[in-house]
Amino acid sequence: MNIYFDNSATTVPVEKAFDAFLKCSYANPSSLHTLGFNAELEFLDSVKTIAKAIGCNSEEIVITSGATESNNLAIIGAARALKRKGNRIVTTKIEHPSVLEALKYLEKEGFEIVYVSPNENNEYTKECFLPHINENTILVSCMAVNNETGLLLPIEEIASGVKKVNPNLYFHTDNVQGFLRYNIKLKNIDLLSVSAHKIGGFKGVGALYIKKGVRLIPLLYGGGQQKNIRPGTHNLPLTVAFAAAINQNLQSLQHYKALKEYLLSKLPNCVTVNSKEDAAPYIVNISVKNIRSEIMLHFLSSKGVYVSSGSACAKGVSSYVLSALNVNNADSALRISFGYQNTKEEIDYFINALEEGISSIKTN
Ligand code: PLP
């Protein structure tokens, strides 16, 4: 039995992604001959699909090696482009490390980074941000869906609120965990990151939406591809697979809501739910009373059920996200994240394994 409930770490690639990967042209899209020209058309066609899914024009998309790069390019690129206008960058305490570590680097370069706390309900609203926005603020980076708890942040409201105070700042959002499920109106959004392997594509490819007119200093220098913003030979196989995964979109909030509801109805009494009721239904963070995350994770793994103790990127380190959101029993936290392939029968199996774990771990 293999029950994969770690879909926020990565998803099972969809069939059409494999097909597209195998069928795509091998030529270099920058080559001037016919094969190169055809490869370029395939690339542009894929970019068009990605742009449409994000809600922008193809010219506003840059293909990257994943959301880690998209976030770095957005944040470091914007900070360097705007450094004469100010030096304050505002973010949350619950961002992914690819945002927080890029900001830590900028802090060493002399930028002031403000880490906004959630409100008394452990949520982020535009009011949390407004006191930190002034004329010196050049960038706000705020994720749309938290990867550990599924917390939804009201991005459109936050972006329009901070832009009212300072219309010149750039607003960046990491929508890796919301893409194709919670799409965002781009009116006040300048930069938005997505990743293919969270929606049925492959690891190693992502995109950054850069609103027309927004200026970034590139991180890489090379052969002039992608208007010099992200040079390097186009990654055609992974880009066409990314577009194919979007076309085969198997994400369904309805399906995830049904799974979450079923899971919550079956959880034993000694389990508390750390995710908000209105969180993204495909990410459910729970704690099993008095059992450390890793112990239960390994027990479940021995039964063929795969969950996470937090974000896969923060192996073994206690969660700064749960602590910022004031989750009490963070040491016992497990993240169950659903994918399109998961079923209620798998939840039944998981609940049995969890109950077995609770009695056998406690008696040891
Ligand atoms: N942002 C969030 C919210 C994520 O969950 C992840 C991956 O876990 C990333 C960024 C990084 O994405 P990638 O693996 O494509 O670099």
Side-chain angles (χ1 to χ4, degrees), residues 102 105 200 237 339:
Y105 164 76

Side-chain angles (χ1 to χ4, degrees), residues 8-9 65-69 71 96 98 143 145-147 174 176-177 194-198 204-205 313:
S8 290
S65 62
T68 296
E69 185 189 335
N71 286 341
H96 187 264
S98 54
M143 72 188 342
V145 180
N146 181 262
N147 48 302
D174 171 340
V176 166
Q177 299 289 348
V194 295
S195 177
H197 74 104
K198 311 286 184 173
V205 66
C313 315

